[in-house]
Structures are given as structure tokens and as C-alpha cells.
Amino acid sequence: MTPIFLLATLCLGMISAAPTHDPSFDTVWEEWKTKHGKTYNTNEEGQKRAVWENNMKMINLHNEDYLKGKHGFSLEMNAFGDLTNTEFRELMTGFQSMGPKETTIFREPFLGDIPKSLDWREHGYVTPVKNQGQCGSCWAFSAVGSLEGQIFKKTGKLVSLSEQNLVDCSWSYGNLGCNGGLMEFAFQYVKENRGLDTGESYAYEAQDGLCRYNPKYSAANVTGFVKVPLSEDDLMSAVASVGPVSVGIDSHHQSFRFYSGGMYYEPDCSSTEMDHAVLVVGYGEESDGGKYWLVKNSWGEDWGMDGYIKMAKDQNNNCGIATYAIYPTV
């Protein structure tokens, strides 16, 4: 067992063997199964329906409160509706909580005035939203996202890089493929490997495989990596001066899993127990003064705001967004 602690423990509670269903959900349930291509055997469907129904009721209650102004964000049912929290975290997260202590620390450069809002998508730094599938490879998508941005900054060319290359080939650096990993381990692999293949040449498969790195298709290199101090001000400075930054967050709440739109603030979020890796591509401020981080996720465009989420900014490091922030140097 790796000494690195994987944050993947959240219990929803066992569903009874013979759950009763609310018939008012029958039509919606069938439509949801069709939309997402879900099929179950006879023994499985009852329990999956019960989990889905509980999630649906939670979403409806939340949205009722949202319309009353009690929340700043809305929820919606999505492809994850039949998963318990435990199942979901095993399949869709995978951020490891610890890493090497020796690393370069971000020092704020002289920029003059840091802009009040910024979206690196508007400047060509960000590839389209990707989907990690049922593989705990969020760390690879986060690492690739910040590396894609730095390669663009250096060369002026935006190239989609290979997450599968990292999933298959960086085990000796501490990563565990679909069972979790850490962005700095990924950067260390690319540095010592002296390359990372393109996504086109080394396609994503959402499962562990044999390492097939081919230097002929490499489109990136890494000279090192920089950690941002635990401060939202420092994170803002880093994003403004460097580009998209990889971060770890606490995503284990149902409110995150079913996020649909608006300003995400979860009062029960942990600022120290992160379980998911994402990419901060900018920040901004709403008309009501609420500040947010613009975050790219790796759960496909059907999740959230076309694959993105606005996470509360300057609210006591909500969900730990500034606790582990890192970017590569190229």
C-alpha cells in the first residue's frame, strides 16, 4: 500500500435490499436512463434507482431553496445520479494529498496592477473540456491543463497533450494511474522523461495501460515546477502572471457533483482534505460583488457550466482551492 494517503472515503450509507420507489419519478427515471445509456440487471436496478431517487430529491430541495435566494448556485441531475458518494469518489476523483517537500516556491513578480478579472480561455491558453471517464485520473488532466497553457505561452501554439501518457508511464514517480496521483509527480515524470506525447498520438482510454511513450510525438517538456503559497492572494497573482494553475479541491459534497451554475460556495467544504484536481483558468467578480475562481473540470461538457464551475473566491479558502496550487516551468 502506498504511503501516500488517498482521500477517497465518504460514506452515504447502505441502501436497503428492497427499497421502495416514488412512482412520481418513474417517467423521469426512464428518460434519464435513456439519455445516459444506462442499463442494469434485475438485481441491480432497484438499488441504483434508490440511489438516483435520493439524489434527485436532494437536487429538487436544493433548487427550491436556490429560487428562494438561500443558495448562490443551482444543481441538476447528470450522468452521476446512480452513484453513491463512495462509488463516485472512487471513480471520478483521485487527488493524492501529499507530495515532496522540496520544491520551488512562487514569488510574486512585479506586474503593476493585477487585473480584477481574467479568463485565460480568451487568450488561447486553454484546450476544450475533456472527460476523465470512470478513472481517477483528475491529477493527469489538471497537470496537462497547466502544461498546455505554459507551452502555449512559450510557443504560441495550443496543443492538446496526453493524459494517458501520464496515467500509463508515471507510476515510478508515485502516481497510481486510475487510482490517483499528484500533479507534481506528473511534472517530474515529464521533466526526467524529457517529453510528453500529444493527445492525438497517445489517445485517452480511461484505464491503466502499458507505457507507450514515443519521443517522436512529444510536444512538451518541463524544466521544473512551482508551488504557490497557501494564500488566495498569491494564487490570484500566480494565475494573473503565469496562466492556468493546477489546484486540489474538496469535491466530495453532492452539491459539487451535481453543480449546474452560479457561484459555488459550500460551507461544509474542507480546506485541508482535498480529493480532486482541477485547473484554475481565471477569476472574476459578479455584478453583486461576489468574487469567484473560474475552474475547468475534467468531467465533460455536460457537467456544470459546459464543464466549468465558478468557485467562491476570498471566502476563507473555501474547498481548499489555494491549499495545493502548482504549475510547471517549461
Side-chain angles (χ1 to χ4, degrees), residues 82-301:
D82 60 348
L83 299 175
T84 66
N85 281 353
T86 301
E87 291 169 335
F88 180 76
R89 294 183 78 184
E90 289 175 350
L91 292 172
M92 298 302 301
T93 55
F95 174 77
Q96 296 178 357
S97 66
M98 295 173 59
K101 301 302 181 184
E102 298 179 11
T103 186
T104 305
I105 300 296
F106 173 74
R107 297 286 182 258
E108 183 177 344
F110 179 74
L111 276 178
D113 292 332
I114 294 175
K116 290 185 177 180
S117 63
L118 180 65
D119 184 348
W120 284 115
R121 296 177 299 180
E122 298 174 353
H123 302 277
Y125 278 62
V126 186
T127 57
V129 170
K130 304 177 184 182
N131 194 338
Q132 69 187 73
Q134 294 191 348
C135 166
S137 55
C138 59
W139 56 274
F141 284 82
S142 176
V144 158
S146 53
L147 182 53
E148 289 169 341
Q150 291 309 296
I151 294 297
F152 174 81
K153 184 177 184 180
K154 181 178 181 180
T155 68
K157 297 179 181 179
L158 183 64
V159 179
S160 181
L161 300 172
S162 174
E163 293 84 9
Q164 192 67 43
N165 188 168
L166 293 175
V167 168
D168 293 345
C169 304
S170 64
W171 286 71
S172 63
Y173 294 84
N175 290 323
L176 302 175
C178 285
N179 289 317
L182 201 61
M183 291 80 92
E184 59 196 272
F185 295 159
F187 297 145
Q188 190 66 33
Y189 159 76
V190 178
K191 178 183 178 181
E192 296 188 19
N193 189 57
R194 299 182 179 179
L196 184 71
D197 283 348
T198 64
E200 183 179 6
S201 67
Y202 201 146
Y204 186 65
E205 299 171 346
Q207 61 184 2
D208 298 331
L210 296 175
C211 182
R212 305 185 302 278
Y213 170 75
N214 187 332
K216 180 170 70 172
Y217 300 115
S218 176
N221 206 343
V222 167
T223 59
F225 48 86
V226 179
K227 279 189 175 179
V228 182
L230 201 169
S231 157
E232 289 191 78
D233 287 341
D234 283 325
L235 179 57
M236 181 176 175
S237 296
V239 172
S241 60
V242 174
V245 173
S246 295
V247 298
I249 58 170
D250 173 13
S251 73
H252 83 256
H253 298 275
Q254 289 174 302
S255 59
F256 189 92
R257 193 206 314 186
F258 297 111
Y259 169 84
S260 175
M263 176 85 74
Y264 183 78
Y265 174 77
E266 174 53 70
D268 294 328
C269 246
S270 172
S271 61
T272 57
E273 296 184 6
M274 294 84 69
D275 66 345
H276 188 45
V278 290
L279 185 71
V280 176
V281 303
Y283 54 86
E285 186 172 330
E286 301 284 25
S287 57
D288 63 1
K291 297 178 180 179
Y292 63 86
W293 296 106
L294 181 62
V295 175
K296 180 186 183 185
N297 200 357
S298 53
W299 295 346
E301 293 183 352

Side-chain angles (χ1 to χ4, degrees), residues 15-21 46-47 49-50:
I15 304 299
S16 62
T20 57
H21 304 308
Q47 290 194 351
R49 166 71 183 263

Side-chain angles (χ1 to χ4, degrees), residues 52-70:
W52 176 89
E53 201 169 290
N54 284 339
N55 287 330
M56 195 72 192
K57 290 177 180 178
M58 179 277 298
I59 290 168
N60 290 341
L61 287 173
H62 176 99
N63 287 340
E64 287 176 11
D65 287 340
Y66 168 73
L67 293 175
K68 297 173 184 176
K70 295 182 180 180

